[in-house]
Amino acid sequence: MELDKETFTVTKLAKAKDLGLRLVHGGTGVERAVGIPFAIERWGPIPELHGGELVFTSGRHLGEDWTEWKVLLEGAKAAGAAGVIIGLGSGAAFETLPAELLRLAGANDLPVLTADYAEMGRIAHTVTGLHSESQRDAYRRPLELQMEITAIVARGGSFGDLLDGWQQRTQEPVAVFDRLGRVMARSSAFPSSLLTPLGKRLASHEAPRLGEHFNLSATTLEAAPDMASAETGERVEIYPFAGNDTVRGYCVRIPTGQETAELAAPALRSLLALEFERLWFLDESARRKRAERFARLLTLTEPGSARTFLRSLGIEGGPLRGVAIEARNETHAEVLIDDLAVVLAAPFIRHRHRIVECLATVDPRQALADYGLDVPTGIGTRGAPEHSARSIRQATLALETSRRAGTPIEYVDGASHEFLINAAPSDYLEAFSSAALAPIENSRGGEALLRTLHTWLLERRSIEATAERMGVHRHTVRNRMQRIVQITGHDLDGIDAQTELWLAFKARGFRDGETSPTGP
């Protein structure tokens, strides 16, 4: 039977040889895609359809009741039927189609076909079989496409070969970007004018996450859209591709709407992820060399040896800052060592399981904020190359605090008490500060005593400096300090007592330069 198996319409079914269908009324729906026949041989409303079905009937239950025929045709139209097949001949309501039915079909603008009622079973069986065969073809074509593009990768093809192969078989232009918005490859027909705006968008994290995708207008991406994209309203589709649960890059297609391409698109993204993994492993020797250089630099504590080592690598001997990051998993860590080498201009970087360590040449705070990292992060102090090991140790200590605080932590020289405060649970800090300060706070004039004690600690235990800062007489300060000793029983000349009280003030919210949590 000569029939296009990709698209079934009323017109094509009527023209199909040996099917036995005759189109007696067309209307605007004759080129609409149609589904399999659905028989109705009883009174009542049209059952719910999925849309596109061909309703067929012998009409015996309706006879010449034109009101009920009108209800049937109107119901079929409203239910989404693509057309009606009316059986004629022996066993049906009519030998020939009545003129009134033609008039009703025209009034409803519903395609009507007729057939020999005795052949209705064969017709329904044949059309259903054609649809089944078409469905098999619809799934076979994407499978064949998947096999073809897989073969490209298996033969050692690059990103470019894979994308050109996809375009050749689907007529879809396609490009691939890494996580930082850098173009890795594009097919020959992908517009070069879209590469820069797409790269900027992805680099600024205006990109879909796993399980999401974006559909954008090409004309909104191009700074000066060409006439072709403006006239066609070209759409750009962005999908991430992943390794485990981590985004590796982005596949950007200009879809044509072909069903084969839509069904095979997930396979394309999977192959892109596999190709990315292959390239990653090819660069593994370079990563090992970077890690070895990292470890070597940490052993060089003399200025001359550290700078000589850097010069041997062609690197200026400027200051470096340690950064320690806890990735979500090892796959994420693998991604980060490549990304951060670029983002932080880090010539020395390594990962050990989930922990990524690097020495950054730029200020990591803003760079990491722009990158959008949302995992525990510790940052060491900035220093000369010979102090790299110290900065990494500081970053590791700050990372421990960052895990508890839920925010990036920067180590500050001389402020280790801040890490102790941030690392402790809030309920513990409250209990600790209350135990140390409550006896003073609850005594007569407690607020003034607290301010005096805090200022005395800030002024390095100088009575004169404390009095000047608070604007009171030095005897007032001396009397208050004597009262504090009586209340607490502490020997305030001892370093242990001073440390405990200072930490209690920090836990309570007092800050350097302030005489209370809310100011002087």
Side-chain angles (χ1 to χ4, degrees):
M1 180 173 297
E2 298 178 5
L3 191 66
D4 181 355
K5 296 174 183 176
E6 293 186 1
T7 304
F8 296 95
T9 66
V10 172
T11 300
K12 289 181 179 179
L13 287 176
K15 292 180 178 179
K17 295 180 180 179
D18 303 326
L19 195 54
L21 289 172
R22 298 176 295 279
L23 181 62
V24 296
H25 181 269
T28 58
V30 291
E31 299 303 325
R32 180 184 173 191
V34 300
I36 62 175
F38 181 86
I40 295 180
E41 298 290 348
R42 61 177 177 79
W43 296 88
I46 300 290
E48 182 178 351
L49 303 179
H50 295 287
E53 291 90 343
L54 282 171
V55 172
F56 72 81
T57 182
S58 68
R60 287 182 301 178
H61 61 301
L62 302 177
E64 294 186 2
D65 188 339
W66 309 122
T67 299
E68 290 299 328
W69 275 104
K70 179 183 179 182
V71 171
L72 174 67
L73 295 179
E74 289 177 347
K77 175 89 172 182
V84 175
I85 303 174
I86 299 176
L88 302 174
S90 178
F94 310 108
E95 290 287 339
T96 60
L97 191 70
E100 183 61 19
L101 277 183
L102 279 176
R103 188 190 69 78
L104 290 173
N108 285 280
D109 192 27
L110 186 67
V112 174
L113 303 104
T114 61
D116 188 339
Y117 178 68
E119 294 291 313
M120 291 299 287
R122 180 187 64 80
I123 292 171
H125 178 78
T126 302
V127 173
T128 302
L130 289 171
H131 271 284
S132 298
E133 187 174 348
S134 176
Q135 288 294 320
R136 286 193 296 271
D137 284 346
Y139 285 108
R140 183 167 57 246
R141 285 189 294 272
L143 179 59
E144 291 172 349
L145 175 57
Q146 291 177 34
M147 294 172 65
E148 290 172 1
I149 60 176
T150 301
I152 294 173
V153 175
R155 290 193 297 266
S158 64
F159 274 126
D161 295 329
L162 176 58
L163 300 187
D164 283 333
W166 175 268
Q167 178 182 290
Q168 180 182 354
R169 290 159 178 80
T170 65
Q171 288 72 57
E172 283 190 354
V174 62
V176 60
F177 293 76
D178 69 9
R179 285 163 46 96
L180 300 180
R182 296 175 296 181
V183 182
M184 303 180 73
R186 69 180 178 103
S187 64
S188 59
F190 194 92
S192 59
S193 58
L194 294 180
L195 297 178
T196 298
L198 279 168
K200 289 181 179 178
R201 185 184 185 96
L202 296 174
S204 63
H205 306 292
E206 293 183 56
R209 299 183 179 184
L210 291 181
E212 300 177 340
H213 74 280
F214 287 171
N215 282 305
L216 308 174
S217 169
T219 57
T220 63
L221 286 169
E222 293 176 308
D226 57 35
M227 291 302 296
S229 63
E231 290 175 0
T232 60
E234 211 165 57
R235 303 291 295 176
V236 176
E237 182 183 85
I238 306 174
Y239 266 97
F241 58 85
N244 290 342
D245 62 346
T246 302
V247 172
R248 291 291 202 180
Y250 300 95
C251 175
V252 182
R253 297 166 50 215
I254 300 179
T256 60
Q258 294 183 33
E259 185 179 17
T260 297
E262 294 299 325
L263 291 173
L268 172 64
R269 296 193 291 273
S270 295
L271 290 172
L272 290 173
L274 288 173
E275 180 63 8
F276 188 96
E277 299 292 341
R278 185 182 72 83
L279 293 177
W280 195 91
F281 283 113
L282 286 178
D283 289 340
E284 182 60 23
S285 60
R287 293 186 186 87
R288 282 198 300 270
K289 186 170 293 186
R290 281 189 302 189
E292 290 167 1
R293 292 171 175 173
F294 184 104
R296 171 65 176 157
L297 180 59
L298 296 186
T299 66
L300 303 177
T301 57
E302 295 296 327
S305 58
R307 296 176 191 277
T308 299
F309 177 64
L310 291 179
R311 283 196 299 270
S312 72
L313 301 177
I315 300 173
E316 294 293 330
L320 299 171
R321 174 170 282 178
V323 180
I325 298 169
E326 185 176 65
R328 294 190 296 272
N329 50 50
E330 288 200 41
T331 301
H332 187 214
E334 293 171 358
V335 171
L336 285 179
I337 61 172
D338 285 343
D339 287 1
L340 297 184
V342 177
V343 171
L344 297 178
F348 304 99
I349 188 167
R350 68 184 177 187
H351 86 93
R352 293 181 291 181
H353 304 295
R354 292 169 54 192
I355 304 300
V356 176
E357 298 174 321
C358 72
L359 291 163
T361 60
V362 301
D363 184 350
R365 293 166 296 187
Q366 186 60 49
L368 291 175
D370 293 341
Y371 180 74
L373 199 60
D374 59 353
V375 295
T377 301
I379 301 171
T381 56
R382 184 171 179 264
E386 59 268 22
H387 299 313
S388 295
R390 176 173 177 267
S391 187
I392 285 293
R393 286 195 297 271
Q394 292 171 340
T396 302
L397 177 61
L399 176 63
E400 293 290 336
T401 306
S402 178
R403 290 192 184 103
R404 283 191 174 274
T407 185
I409 296 295
E410 182 178 358
Y411 188 96
V412 179
D413 277 331
S416 58
H417 52 269
E418 295 287 352
F419 292 104
L420 296 175
I421 295 299
N422 286 326
S426 58
D427 55 347
Y428 174 81
L429 289 176
E430 184 177 351
F432 166 72
S433 63
S434 294
L437 302 178
I440 304 172
E441 188 175 28
N442 295 333
S443 65
R444 181 171 54 85
E447 184 177 349
L449 294 177
L450 281 182
R451 288 200 306 271
T452 302
L453 176 59
H454 182 245
T455 306
W456 180 75
L457 291 170
L458 279 175
E459 295 295 343
R460 302 182 181 183
R461 302 169 301 285
S462 168
I463 295 293
E464 289 74 13
T466 301
E468 182 177 353
R469 181 165 185 163
M470 295 186 69
V472 298
H473 197 278
R474 64 180 181 275
H475 291 317
T476 302
V477 173
R478 189 175 287 109
N479 291 335
R480 288 177 181 176
M481 295 305 299
Q482 290 174 352
R483 282 202 61 208
I484 291 170
V485 170
Q486 294 171 355
I487 292 169
T488 62
H490 286 315
D491 176 7
L492 295 185
D493 290 330
I495 189 65
D496 289 339
Q498 293 171 15
T499 300
E500 178 181 295
L501 291 168
W502 182 245
L503 286 175
F505 277 118
K506 289 290 184 180
R508 180 65 64 87
F510 285 74
R511 292 291 176 260
D512 296 355
E514 297 179 354
T515 57
S516 71
T518 56

